[in-house]
Amino acid sequence: CMADFQPRTAASIAPELLSNIRYLLLSQLSRDVRLYDARQRSRAVMSDLLLNLQRLLDRHDRCIMLVDMGAGPMGRWPVLYANHAWTALTGTANTPPPPGTPTKPP
């Protein structure tokens, strides 16, 4: 699809120009598809790494708890992760807070 300020027939446009535009568009689309595929593979690798890290921490016999300290020294620090040893000792859940949970006290 092409746009112009005045009507033209396809025959009045140089075939080389149309060929170059076609080549550029197909090259860009091909690049975008490759980048999308690479991002998807990268996300899958990162997901596997995080899952393996969680499994490793869950097998540890010492208590491990990860918190988000972004609220500062006076804020509530939501628990991002607690391994099974921590959960067994304290009885707290090892699930992260739901998205949008405020981290600062009211």
Side-chain angles (χ1 to χ4, degrees), residues 49-60:
L49 286 173
L50 290 174
L51 184 60
N52 288 337
L53 176 62
Q54 182 177 353
R55 287 178 183 158
L56 176 70
L57 293 175
D58 280 341
R59 282 190 226 124
H60 205 287

Side-chain angles (χ1 to χ4, degrees), residues 11-63:
S12 67
I13 301 172
E16 296 83 19
L17 176 65
L18 290 176
S19 178
N20 287 342
I21 291 172
R22 178 184 171 272
Y23 173 77
L24 290 172
L25 288 173
L26 291 177
S27 297
Q28 185 65 38
L29 287 173
S30 175
R31 178 184 158 272
D32 290 347
V33 167
R34 284 193 311 273
L35 283 174
Y36 176 79
D37 290 343
R39 282 188 197 116
Q40 292 301 102
R41 284 191 302 275
S42 177
R43 284 185 183 126
V45 167
M46 182 60 89
S47 178
D48 287 345
L49 286 173
L50 290 174
L51 184 60
N52 288 337
L53 176 62
Q54 182 177 353
R55 287 178 183 158
L56 176 70
L57 293 175
D58 280 341
R59 282 190 226 124
H60 205 287
D61 60 346
R62 306 253 179 173
C63 295

Side-chain angles (χ1 to χ4, degrees), residues 66-73 76-78 80:
L66 303 175
V67 297
D68 179 6
M69 297 178 68
R76 290 183 183 159
W77 298 339
L80 300 175

